[in-house]
Amino acid sequence: MSSSNSQAHLPVSLLSDAQWSALHQAIAPLSGAQLTWVSGYLAGLAQAQQPLAAPAAQAVTSAKLTILYGSQTGNAKGVASEYKAMAEAAGLTVELLNMADYKSKRLKDETHLVIVVSTHGEGEAPDDAAELHEFLASKKAPKLPQLKYAVLGLGDSSYEFFCQTAKDFDQRLAALGASRLAERVDCDVDYDADVSSWTNRVTELLKEELASAGQGQVVAMPGVNLAVAQASHYSKKNPFAAELLAAQKITGRDSVKDIRHIEISLEDSGLQYQPGDALGVWFTNDPALVDELLGLLELNGDAEVSVGDERLPLRKALLEKFELTQSYPSFAKGYAELTHNAQLLQLSEDKGALRDYLASHQIVDIVKAYPGKVSEEQLASLLRAMTPRLYSIASSQSEVEDEVHLTVALVEYQKDGQLRQGGASGFLAGRVEEGQQVRIFVESNDNFKLPADTNTPVIMVGPGTGIAPFRAFMQEREAQEAQGNNWLFFGNPNFTQDFLYQVEWQRWVKEGLLNKISLAFSRDQADKIYVQHRLLEQGKEVFEWLQQGAHFYVCGDANHMAKDVHNALLTIISEHGGKTAEQAEEYLNDLRKSKRYQRDVY
């Protein structure tokens, strides 16, 4: 081996082939956050084995930074985990915690706190942040004059209560006497640039703060390149190019819904997932939609435009980089101002009316309804970056091994004589063919997991595509030979057209794995029956299961179904538990705090 070659492979040459192979196998299934932890742990071991005279490699400080995250879909957790790695690489002593695992009484002892939190539903805190959010708003919250903090919010400006939970935390901490290290930043769905700017600024401030607090110098940790470790793992920023194995329609010919069963290969990826996790899917926009938009605006698709730090032909950027199927207020307002369209400007000033309008109009529909002239560069500046779609995983690796399955409803409708489809659902249902590649990543969901004790009973409520994670749950319970009872509540329009995975559910019933199944097919009778009605009908037994320690899961529509199920559950607890409305709320809150009431709603 030549000396130059030896230098090029120095990190590998320090290990034997057997050691390198063992290390590679050990780290292959780890998440980005786990890789970060392991890298810090190994660096600590190496430091402990250095001679006493060796210079210190980490911070000489007794002060500590606590990072808390509240996350519904995993974005806030991902941002917080990446920030922990960044802060540790800068030499800070850091503890990262999910808000659900944080003891609120610790707040009075914190000196430096970073909060990363998303907003769920109509301005609600994510499930794992609900308890801390409630505590801070209560009379029990202590005065916090010693605390310095910074808050980062993740949200979607298309919604009325944009980043409301972050605003709540920020305002409440300030009211309790804490001091802001930096102003809160409210991030929209394309948050990378804002997060980067904020984290850089906060890190510099914290380095000064913590060095001062510890009477020592904060020194960046050498020897471990966290950025390289992160980049080697498949993630949202580094997706795996997987093969599409199947995309099969599983609703009947006469169904009002078009739902597809999607199978994707994970072969050679090393990707691991657990029942309850989600799969992130990157997609490309429909070429026909892109060409329609270019035609309406009379723009040159070959003209180069700025996309972040890149220069790309406009048509390529519209296909691969920009969000076109989900409309957002910033586009409507910016387009109205550039085109001086009085009608659209007037609509933009009414936030409620604008939200209602955008919900049923894609970007091309806005341009079609309000014609105007913008340049190629102006159009690019108005559009926000494409974001991947997250789908609840419908399989267990205990059953399907190197595959991952999804249950995807095709969003499709007519708008002024033109067919409109959802970006990712249209891509998966038709624009990508079997054998072609789909860019994916796994998004873990710690807030939606089967009980560790396989003897624990579970109740699953999943109408429509909400059935997906419960198919995964049953595959896992079967592999575990779990003894706990299982009860499914499922609903859809028609029994003959829309009973998703019917053969599988019937087999599980026949084999005794699924102990009870309660079905609600809303259009099979004069009066519409939904899952919440079936819950109320079975209320006595539902409460008995809860009293026996059952975990209760809900997956599906957040706007209506999840609220109706929540209210039905309160009614059941009140009526069959002999409790007042306030006591029923407290009972349900206790279930949530103990992770026995978990929701994956969207």
Side-chain angles (χ1 to χ4, degrees):
M1 181 182 291
S2 69
S3 60
S4 60
N5 194 38
S6 174
Q7 287 295 320
H9 293 83
L10 179 60
V12 178
S13 67
L14 293 175
L15 303 177
S16 69
D17 289 345
Q19 288 173 322
W20 176 249
S21 177
L23 175 63
H24 183 72
Q25 289 179 19
I27 68 174
L30 297 183
S31 68
Q34 290 169 327
L35 283 169
T36 298
W37 184 89
V38 168
S39 67
Y41 175 74
L42 293 176
L45 285 180
Q47 180 63 29
Q49 293 180 29
Q50 288 181 8
L52 290 176
Q58 288 185 293
V60 187
T61 172
S62 58
K64 174 176 67 71
L65 168 65
T66 299
I67 304 173
L68 298 180
Y69 67 86
S71 184
Q72 197 69 29
T73 63
N75 285 336
K77 178 185 176 183
V79 169
S81 298
E82 288 182 8
Y83 183 56
K84 176 179 186 287
M86 177 181 179
E88 287 182 328
L92 305 181
T93 302
V94 185
E95 183 178 15
L96 173 69
L97 290 165
N98 184 329
M99 289 184 185
D101 300 324
Y102 184 74
K103 303 299 182 185
S104 52
K105 63 183 180 181
R106 280 185 50 181
L107 268 175
K108 65 181 185 299
D109 300 319
E110 300 286 2
T111 58
H112 296 82
L113 179 67
V114 163
I115 285 178
V116 182
V117 67
S118 62
T119 294
H120 177 56
E122 297 179 3
E124 301 162 14
D127 288 347
D128 55 3
E131 187 175 354
L132 183 60
H133 183 266
E134 181 182 320
F135 173 78
L136 282 173
S138 73
K139 293 179 181 178
K140 296 179 182 179
K143 296 296 182 184
L144 301 169
Q146 83 294 347
L147 180 65
K148 295 186 178 181
Y149 73 94
V151 176
L152 182 74
L154 301 184
D156 184 340
S157 61
S158 302
Y159 290 92
E160 180 177 0
F161 299 100
F162 174 55
C163 288
Q164 186 60 51
T165 305
K167 295 172 184 175
D168 293 344
F169 274 110
D170 184 29
Q171 292 164 6
R172 190 58 187 158
L173 288 171
L176 292 169
S179 305
R180 290 185 185 91
L181 266 172
E183 289 300 310
R184 184 190 75 250
V185 169
D186 298 330
C187 299
D188 212 336
V189 290
D190 51 341
Y191 53 74
D192 286 347
D194 287 338
V195 167
S196 178
S197 173
W198 184 86
T199 52
N200 284 327
R201 184 165 69 255
V202 170
T203 301
E204 289 306 310
L205 291 167
L206 283 167
K207 284 168 69 175
E208 295 176 15
E209 282 281 331
L210 295 180
S212 172
Q215 290 83 44
Q217 182 183 6
V218 176
V219 182
M221 181 172 65
V224 179
N225 190 332
L226 295 175
V228 171
Q230 285 284 83
S232 67
H233 185 74
Y234 295 117
S235 64
K236 178 181 177 181
K237 295 179 181 178
N238 182 34
F240 174 65
E243 180 186 349
L244 179 70
L245 299 175
Q248 177 186 359
K249 185 179 179 184
I250 55 174
T251 43
R253 182 184 303 172
D254 298 323
S255 174
V256 295
K257 297 183 176 184
D258 184 338
I259 297 177
R260 308 295 177 102
H261 173 72
I262 308 293
E263 297 184 359
I264 296 170
S265 173
L266 298 181
E267 193 173 358
D268 299 327
S269 71
L271 283 171
Q272 301 287 313
Y273 61 86
Q274 297 294 322
D277 288 346
L279 192 76
V281 176
W282 287 99
F283 60 97
T284 55
N285 284 311
D286 187 347
L289 181 70
V290 169
D291 291 339
E292 183 183 355
L293 180 60
L294 288 171
L296 286 169
L297 290 170
E298 299 179 355
L299 296 178
N300 178 6
D302 294 326
E304 289 199 344
V305 296
S306 296
V307 184
D309 297 329
E310 294 181 275
R311 295 286 293 175
L312 293 174
L314 176 59
R315 189 173 188 277
K316 181 177 175 65
L318 293 174
L319 283 169
E320 301 175 3
K321 300 294 185 179
F322 290 129
E323 189 65 69
L324 299 183
T325 55
Q326 291 183 350
S327 299
Y328 30 95
S330 60
F331 176 84
K333 293 174 183 176
Y335 178 74
E337 289 168 359
L338 283 174
T339 58
H340 306 291
N341 190 296
Q343 283 183 295
L344 188 55
L345 279 168
Q346 185 177 2
L347 176 62
S348 299
E349 291 170 1
D350 186 333
K351 292 183 179 180
L354 180 61
R355 275 193 307 275
D356 291 341
Y357 176 80
L358 296 178
S360 59
H361 291 77
Q362 297 187 354
I363 296 296
V364 69
D365 299 320
I366 300 172
V367 171
K368 192 173 182 180
Y370 301 98
K373 297 292 292 182
V374 295
S375 69
E376 287 83 2
E377 197 67 66
Q378 285 174 327
L379 176 63
S381 70
L382 291 173
L383 295 170
R384 74 182 183 191
M386 179 185 289
T387 54
R389 304 296 191 258
L390 294 177
Y391 293 100
S392 301
I393 292 175
S395 57
S396 162
Q397 281 189 298
S398 300
E399 171 70 21
V400 303
E401 298 181 343
D402 283 343
E403 294 181 12
V404 61
H405 297 175
L406 306 177
T407 311
V408 177
L410 173 63
V411 177
E412 187 174 67
Y413 57 94
Q414 292 284 331
K415 173 64 69 174
D416 299 327
Q418 294 287 331
L419 180 67
R420 299 286 182 242
Q421 290 185 334
S425 66
F427 174 75
L428 290 170
R431 293 199 302 280
V432 60
E433 298 179 358
E434 293 179 9
Q436 293 183 332
Q437 291 186 332
V438 181
R439 293 173 299 142
I440 61 165
F441 59 95
V442 172
E443 191 73 72
S444 63
N445 185 353
D446 297 334
N447 302 316
F448 204 76
K449 286 286 178 283
L450 278 167
D453 183 353
T454 59
N455 295 311
T456 303
V458 300
I459 300 172
M460 304 165 284
V461 182
T465 56
I467 198 74
F470 303 133
R471 180 176 184 261
F473 276 20
M474 294 303 291
Q475 289 181 354
E476 184 74 4
R477 297 275 271 189
E478 186 172 34
Q480 293 173 336
E481 299 182 354
Q483 298 302 303
N485 289 337
N486 303 292
W487 187 352
L488 174 73
F489 286 83
F490 172 72
N492 238 350
N494 301 106
F495 174 83
T496 57
Q497 304 293 322
D498 307 303
F499 192 171
L500 307 182
Y501 304 111
Q502 178 181 355
V503 172
E504 294 181 31
W505 293 111
Q506 289 175 331
R507 176 176 68 81
W508 284 322
V509 169
K510 183 178 179 181
E511 294 175 355
L513 182 66
L514 185 62
N515 305 88
K516 288 181 70 69
I517 184 167
S518 299
L519 303 172
F521 292 101
S522 59
R523 301 189 186 184
D524 280 351
Q525 61 283 310
D527 296 327
K528 291 185 176 179
I529 297 176
Y530 299 107
V531 286
Q532 66 267 23
H533 300 129
R534 295 300 189 213
L535 278 165
L536 291 168
E537 289 171 3
Q538 306 274 350
K540 183 175 183 293
E541 191 170 359
V542 168
F543 187 71
E544 288 173 355
W545 279 49
L546 292 177
Q547 288 292 90
Q548 293 162 10
H551 285 216
F552 192 98
Y553 300 89
V554 184
C555 183
D557 168 57
N559 293 328
H560 302 290
M561 182 277 297
K563 293 177 182 177
D564 291 336
V565 167
H566 184 88
N567 290 331
L569 207 45
L570 287 172
T571 299
I572 289 167
I573 294 165
S574 180
E575 288 185 0
H576 300 283
K579 300 182 185 300
T580 64
E582 186 175 313
Q583 289 170 334
E585 287 275 9
E586 187 176 343
Y587 183 98
L588 201 51
N589 276 337
D590 287 342
L591 288 184
R592 177 177 49 75
K593 291 173 185 176
S594 60
K595 297 191 175 182
R596 288 180 51 207
Y597 176 34
Q598 299 185 30
R599 304 189 305 167
D600 177 12
V601 296
Y602 37 83

